[in-house]
Amino acid sequence: MILSTIRNGILGLLAFALGATQAPLDKVTLQLKWHHQFQFAGYYAAQEQGYFRDAGLDVRILEAEPGIDVVKEVASGRAQFGVGSSALLLSRYRGQPVVVLAAVFQHSPVVFVARSGSGIASVHDLAGKRVMFEKQADELIAYLHKEGINEKTMTFVEHTFVPDDLIQGKVDCMSAYLTDESYFLDKVHFNHLTFSPRMGGIDFYGDNLFTSEDEVKAHPDRVKAFREASMKGWKYAMQHPEELADRIIARYGERRGRAYLLYEAQKMQALIQPGLVDIGYMYPGRWQHILDTYVELGLLPKDFHLEGFIYEPEAGVRQVNRRLVTVIVVLGGLGALLGSVALVLFRMSIRLKGEILSREKAEAAVRLEHEGKAKLEVQLQQARKMESLGSLAGGIAHDMNNVLGAILGMASTSIEAQQPGSHTHRAFETIIKAGERGGKMVKSLLSFARQSPAERQELDVNVILREEIELLERTTLSRVHLQMELEPALRPILGDASALTQAFMNLCINALDAMPERGTLTIRTRNQGKEWIEVLVEDTGSGMPQEVLERALEPFFTTKEVGKGTGLGLSMVYSIVKAHRGQIEIDSEPGHGTVVWMRFPVCEPASRTAELVVENRSEPSTKTLNVLLVDDDELMQSSTQAILQALGHETTTASSGESALAILEAGFKPDVVILDLNMPGLGGTGTLPRLRTLLPFVPVLLATGRADQAAVSLVEAHSRVTLMLKPFDLKNLRKQLEPWTAVE
Ligand code: ADP
Ligand code: MG
């Protein structure tokens, strides 16, 4: 008793002494937009973890009272910081000088929920229905506009925020928060449909942290400190939802119960995406999209601009988010980028081949005759330059695979959260298709440059063609009629599927180019005796005059305008067909279309059983793996981690072989290691033997964009090492991990 009194006294004195030496805390107020709940967990975490205090701040967190206007509170200076929706833009237009500091919810949680079975199957069915609606939900109004739905056709009911009204049938539909009302509907297993503005391509930010221009001007350091501490708090909160739920209850009472808070937390994971996005990250292009949507709705004038609205503390912050900007820019320009990079690389490698040929010729020439040597010297030098360009191409391909890996990773995880058939789902599908095609292009480029062993697999050409047609059907206009005449029992051939895909795709593109108005593209396959199969690509387009036909296979020969043709298509087709020991002939007549005829030698259908690996589409495995992910590339790290998370696995990351070994030496025992081959320092090659000494039995997936000889020998030299080709997506990784996720 006495002891404890003395101890408390000493502690008190100590605290006093320490306090006296520190500057007093800066008092600020954060005004929330709703009641205390998980929605604001990051701020509570910043408070309770002492992040605010460490930043020199004494923060009062106020929940919203009825009738409170958060923007007014902040603009008037009664509160320094506030939480607001994307409608902050409108407030700014109306003369409230708000500055947005961070987008915490990367997507708005606002949706429509409708009674199922009330004749509503899509948003279009809301006409004539009773809809309980929160007028501030601009993204919903924008969604209706985008879908061409007139709000006047609905009966508006003032929002009561009582989900029971929907359950009881007082209304047919209501605006709701995915994180909130849905909980009560789910809890009583009430069948309902959800329509998200994202299905209509409207993607607003959800909760944003904001302040006023005055505050930014007068207290720049305080603003910066508050933002940083808050985001740190958010990171903590999203990692420790249970703990935060308990703290919220302890501090603010059990208004809605722990289960509700945890439901909120879980839904928020998808909206905040803490694994993918630096919390709070804002992309100006997204704000522009939001602004444009408001302009479309007539809520903002055309000349309204973002200037001054988005907080820019210093260049440093931008840098932190560079990787994300990269991803978005890459996604946006994916087609252009891939197309041009791949073409440049192709151009390089073809030139290289040509140069090597000419070098060989040159050398022969040197041997034969001794004159004209100065000119040849120049040619030789040029050829060497080209050769080094070739190995450069290999390096670029590796980086390209990392970029593609990140795109595929993000897209394949995000697509799972989308409603099949929705706009966003389709968008992700296209991104995935494009990413996969990019991966194949890089692969065929490498094999073209002879840096990667060409695959020789037993193939059904019909399967390749069908996939291709499917892609064409999606991307070509209805102007061209696609016709398929595929031999049902086509014999298999031995070859490289991605190279053949590339070749057939080039022929189809040529055919489409030759039919700018309308026409028919016919793809035919047939068995020709026992030894050959034939593939024909026919069009009813412009055809070729004799002088074009004669030169059509020449590299760089094109009749198309700059930017449209490269003149490489047919020469590539030619070399791919030759590499498959096939033959090609082109028949064409001006005005009568073109037929490209190819034939390939048939292979013995020996290894049928090996082909019978059925793709596993079953439920995710029940066994959680502890995965050690070693990759120096930040993009790869975060996207792979996102995939692993989606598959239900735990990930520990290391950005070099050295640090992975350190983690293992410290006693960490992963179930599986994903090891990048190409890293600075020890790299995969140096890390693998040391890792084997520490963990003799752990399976290792060796990730690389290039299955070259070095990679293959490394795999062969160690047990339990599997090669995993980059880029990979959710499906690939799931398959790779299958042997260890199966529950015995
Ligand atoms: P590119 O398509 O980039 O021009 P290609 O090597 O694929 O290069 O084709 C070379 C040229 O052959 C084309 O520019 C075009 O003039 C002609 N050509 C190829 N395929 C067809 C076709 N199906 N119909 C008419 N002309 C064709
Ligand atoms: Mg072409």
Side-chain angles (χ1 to χ4, degrees):
M1 178 70 184
I2 295 174
L3 262 183
S4 84
T5 314
I6 293 173
R7 196 190 57 201
N8 285 349
I10 291 171
L11 283 179
L13 272 174
L14 251 175
F16 179 78
L18 281 174
T21 59
Q22 269 170 8
L25 295 180
D26 212 348
K27 280 195 165 58
V28 289
T29 298
L30 168 69
Q31 177 64 58
L32 306 179
K33 67 200 268 253
W34 193 242
H35 307 306
H36 288 302
Q37 53 182 358
F38 205 92
Q39 188 180 355
F40 310 108
Y43 306 109
Y44 311 136
Q47 181 89 298
E48 307 241 332
Q49 290 295 107
Y51 301 151
F52 282 142
R53 195 186 50 234
D54 295 345
L57 299 169
D58 175 7
V59 181
R60 195 165 55 130
I61 304 178
L62 294 185
E63 67 176 351
E65 304 287 340
I68 209 153
D69 180 339
V70 183
V71 169
K72 262 200 200 123
E73 293 303 300
V74 174
S76 69
R78 273 193 295 279
Q80 284 68 39
F81 302 96
V83 177
S85 69
S86 287
L88 284 171
L89 265 183
L90 300 181
S91 306
R92 189 171 166 93
Y93 168 62
R94 291 188 201 116
Q96 309 275 22
V98 288
V99 176
V100 65
L101 297 175
V104 176
F105 283 43
Q106 291 295 315
H107 306 288
S108 162
V110 180
V111 293
F112 282 118
V113 287
R115 298 171 60 77
S116 56
S118 53
I120 300 176
S122 83
V123 265
H124 292 272
D125 301 323
L126 293 181
K129 296 288 192 300
R130 293 156 301 161
V131 183
M132 192 152 83
F133 201 83
E134 195 182 1
K135 287 277 163 54
Q136 297 92 296
D138 308 303
E139 52 268 64
L140 291 182
I141 305 209
Y143 180 28
L144 295 177
H145 272 245
K146 198 93 182 187
E147 296 285 338
I149 302 162
N150 187 351
E151 311 123 68
K152 300 222 168 67
T153 57
M154 307 171 190
T155 312
F156 274 107
V157 179
E158 201 62 40
H159 216 304
T160 56
F161 300 100
V162 181
D164 221 35
D165 289 352
L166 186 72
I167 297 171
Q168 301 298 334
K170 285 189 193 162
V171 290
D172 305 301
C173 177
M174 67 191 268
S175 64
Y177 264 51
L178 269 181
T179 48
D180 186 333
E181 283 91 346
S182 300
Y183 170 71
F184 298 97
L185 301 176
D186 282 348
K187 201 171 119 189
V188 297
H189 304 293
F190 177 73
N191 269 338
H192 61 281
L193 297 167
T194 304
F195 306 120
S196 161
R198 278 204 268 166
M199 297 174 188
I202 307 278
D203 195 359
F204 277 25
Y205 283 130
D207 284 7
N208 303 296
L209 177 65
F210 74 98
T211 186
S212 65
E213 275 181 6
D214 282 351
E215 175 71 18
V216 174
K217 255 188 233 123
H219 306 283
D221 293 341
R222 184 160 89 183
V223 171
K224 185 164 176 276
F226 186 90
R227 187 193 184 280
E228 274 169 16
S230 300
M231 294 312 122
K232 208 168 149 194
W234 270 111
K235 200 166 168 197
Y236 186 87
M238 297 316 286
Q239 279 167 357
H240 305 89
E242 307 241 348
E243 180 188 327
L244 259 292
D246 291 336
R247 287 182 179 197
I248 291 170
I249 290 169
R251 197 175 178 116
Y252 302 110
E254 197 160 0
R255 197 169 359 211
R256 282 173 149 182
R258 193 166 188 275
Y260 169 80
L261 294 175
L262 289 177
Y263 178 92
E264 233 194 316
Q266 187 219 327
K267 290 279 172 179
M268 279 165 60
Q269 292 284 351
L271 298 173
I272 295 180
Q273 301 190 315
L276 293 179
V277 179
D278 289 336
I279 296 183
Y281 170 72
M282 292 188 286
Y283 173 53
R286 268 289 282 293
W287 277 116
Q288 187 64 45
H289 157 77
I290 297 168
L291 189 155
D292 292 343
T293 307
Y294 279 130
V295 171
E296 240 171 79
L297 290 179
L299 292 171
L300 288 180
K302 274 208 178 66
D303 57 357
F304 188 73
H305 52 78
L306 289 173
E307 210 178 303
F309 174 67
I310 302 174
Y311 174 64
E312 275 181 67
E314 69 219 339
V317 167
R318 290 198 153 209
Q319 211 184 337
V320 172
N321 291 315
R322 256 219 333 250
R323 68 187 169 100
L324 264 151
V325 175
T326 312
V327 169
I328 288 153
V329 167
V330 165
L331 277 179
L334 183 67
L337 184 79
L338 280 177
S340 50
V341 168
L343 279 173
V344 165
L345 293 179
F346 262 119
R347 197 181 278 261
M348 274 186 202
S349 56
I350 281 186
R351 281 238 293 273
L352 170 64
K353 282 189 141 186
E355 291 294 338
I356 287 172
L357 264 181
S358 70
R359 181 174 66 171
E360 281 166 1
K361 269 192 203 149
E363 277 166 354
V366 170
R367 261 184 276 118
L368 288 174
E369 37 194 299
H370 289 268
E371 62 239 87
K373 214 174 158 202
K375 193 166 153 245
L376 292 173
E377 186 65 31
V378 173
Q379 266 187 14
L380 275 169
Q381 256 176 21
Q382 191 64 17
R384 287 206 184 96
K385 238 194 265 172
M386 283 300 172
E387 204 165 9
S388 59
L389 269 182
S391 55
L392 199 87
I396 295 174
H398 170 261
D399 287 344
M400 202 60 199
N401 271 329
N402 280 346
V403 172
L404 288 169
I407 291 170
L408 279 173
M410 286 207 186
S412 63
T413 33
S414 306
I415 198 171
E416 305 256 305
Q418 310 302 325
Q419 193 137 327
S422 68
H423 174 85
T424 328
H425 196 274
R426 283 203 303 274
F428 276 124
E429 267 177 0
T430 310
I431 291 173
I432 290 171
K433 269 261 149 74
E436 284 171 352
R437 246 175 80 187
K440 284 181 188 160
M441 278 165 82
V442 173
K443 223 166 104 192
S444 53
L445 158 68
L446 284 174
S447 69
F448 201 78
R450 288 278 170 273
Q451 295 202 7
S452 184
E455 277 181 46
R456 291 247 165 250
Q457 261 183 351
E458 197 179 308
L459 299 171
D460 182 348
V461 171
N462 282 351
V463 171
I464 297 176
L465 290 169
R466 267 191 215 108
E467 254 175 38
E468 206 148 311
I469 291 285
E470 207 183 297
L471 203 69
L472 279 178
E473 268 169 350
R474 276 191 212 204
T475 45
T476 52
L477 308 167
S478 48
R479 64 181 167 91
V480 172
H481 176 63
L482 294 174
Q483 197 168 314
M484 299 237 275
E485 291 173 23
L486 304 183
E487 168 100 43
L490 191 69
R491 295 176 195 279
I493 68 164
L494 213 55
D496 182 334
S498 60
L500 286 174
T501 304
Q502 197 76 27
F504 298 147
M505 189 51 87
N506 266 294
L507 294 176
C508 291
I509 291 170
N510 280 348
L512 294 175
D513 283 346
M515 301 183 286
E517 311 278 58
R518 52 170 34 89
T520 305
L521 167 61
T522 310
I523 296 175
R524 233 186 277 272
T525 57
R526 54 186 177 226
N527 291 323
Q528 196 204 41
K530 282 201 171 122
E531 320 236 302
W532 299 92
I533 63 158
E534 287 182 332
V535 182
L536 289 100
V537 180
E538 300 181 29
D539 66 66
T540 57
S542 58
M544 286 178 257
Q546 191 59 31
E547 63 274 18
V548 172
L549 184 58
E550 274 169 9
R551 301 190 58 196
L553 291 173
E554 255 178 49
F556 301 113
F557 174 81
T558 179
T559 57
K560 296 169 191 174
E561 57 192 276
V562 183
K564 207 147 190 267
T566 57
L568 287 176
L570 286 179
S571 64
M572 202 188 85
V573 173
Y574 180 81
S575 58
I576 291 172
V577 171
K578 283 288 149 198
H580 285 80
R581 278 175 279 135
Q583 287 158 11
I584 179 167
E585 258 168 46
I586 305 175
D587 221 342
S588 186
E589 219 178 294
H592 289 281
T594 302
V595 182
V596 178
W597 169 92
M598 289 161 283
R599 69 174 194 176
F600 299 94
V602 162
C603 78
E604 287 301 315
S607 50
R608 274 284 116 195
T609 40
E611 293 272 300
L612 285 175
V613 185
V614 180
E615 209 175 290
N616 189 351
R617 286 198 173 274
S618 61
E619 287 302 294
S621 56
T622 36
K623 195 162 157 197
T624 299
L625 299 173
N626 272 311
V627 181
L628 174 61
L629 171 64
V630 195
D631 201 314
D632 63 313
D633 191 296
E634 246 186 279
L635 273 171
M636 265 324 274
Q637 261 188 32
S638 53
S639 66
T640 311
Q641 194 168 4
I643 299 180
L644 289 167
Q645 195 184 334
L647 291 173
H649 302 305
E650 304 281 343
T651 315
T652 304
T653 50
S655 47
S656 67
E658 287 84 344
S659 61
L661 293 171
I663 295 173
L664 297 176
E665 267 158 17
F668 178 60
K669 292 226 177 336
D671 300 311
V672 177
V673 178
I674 298 178
L675 179 65
D676 185 30
L677 181 57
N678 203 330
M679 289 184 293
L682 276 182
T685 322
T687 308
L688 196 53
R690 292 172 171 84
L691 185 146
R692 264 288 162 262
T693 322
L694 289 168
L695 296 173
F697 301 113
V698 72
V700 176
L701 297 176
L702 193 63
T704 176
R706 245 158 81 182
D708 53 15
Q709 202 45 51
V712 174
S713 4
L714 199 60
V715 170
E716 281 168 357
H718 297 86
S719 58
R720 292 190 179 74
V721 179
T722 320
L723 210 58
M724 180 161 70
L725 273 186
K726 287 184 182 180
F728 47 82
D729 64 5
L730 188 118
K731 250 177 20 200
N732 307 141
L733 199 53
R734 178 190 287 161
K735 202 154 190 177
Q736 291 273 13
L737 293 173
E738 232 162 49
W740 308 290
T741 52
V743 186
E744 292 95 280

